[in-house]
Amino acid sequence: MGTSAVILTKKDKYSPEQLLADIIVTAFHSDVALYFYNNKTYTNEGTFQYTTLNINRKSSTGDKESSFIFHIHSISSPSTEFYYHEDLGLDTSE
């Protein structure tokens, strides 16, 4: 069972490569395991759409593991559109 979340940022400041790099460095400095298989998804036209990575952490008792699945989308991916902007009072131009 999981919960979805969206990280909001300004479109002109977003870089999939920088986000991936930041996640890798953060996982390195944390007590977590990072699983990244360089499996990129492309559109039918051959444009990069997204890649996925997993961040896992075992509990202190060792019997449970928490997992965070992260999809990093391209700037042009249709999945980067956030459809709940009106509910939150967000400006779609940003």
Side-chain angles (χ1 to χ4, degrees):
M1 169 97 79
T3 301
S4 296
V6 176
I7 297 173
L8 300 175
T9 186
K10 292 184 180 272
K11 288 181 182 180
D12 61 342
K13 304 270 184 188
Y14 175 69
S15 163
E17 294 85 358
Q18 187 60 53
L19 179 58
L20 181 59
D22 290 344
I23 291 169
I24 291 170
V25 170
T26 301
F28 175 78
H29 291 291
S30 301
D31 188 23
V32 298
L34 174 70
Y35 299 101
F36 175 67
Y37 175 70
N38 196 14
N39 185 18
K40 299 177 279 283
T41 302
Y42 293 89
T43 63
N44 290 338
E45 295 80 30
T47 305
F48 168 69
Q49 192 170 13
Y50 71 89
T51 190
T52 304
L53 56 87
N54 294 343
I55 300 172
N56 294 319
R57 181 171 187 253
K58 288 192 175 188
S59 69
S60 57
T61 60
D63 60 344
K64 292 186 180 179
E65 186 175 279
S66 299
S67 182
F68 183 79
I69 302 170
F70 207 102
H71 300 280
I72 299 176
H73 290 265
S74 72
I75 293 173
S76 60
S77 173
S79 298
T80 58
E81 294 295 324
F82 186 67
Y83 297 104
Y84 304 105
H85 61 276
E86 293 171 352
D87 297 339
L88 300 174
L90 299 174
D91 182 353
T92 57
S93 68
E94 296 189 23

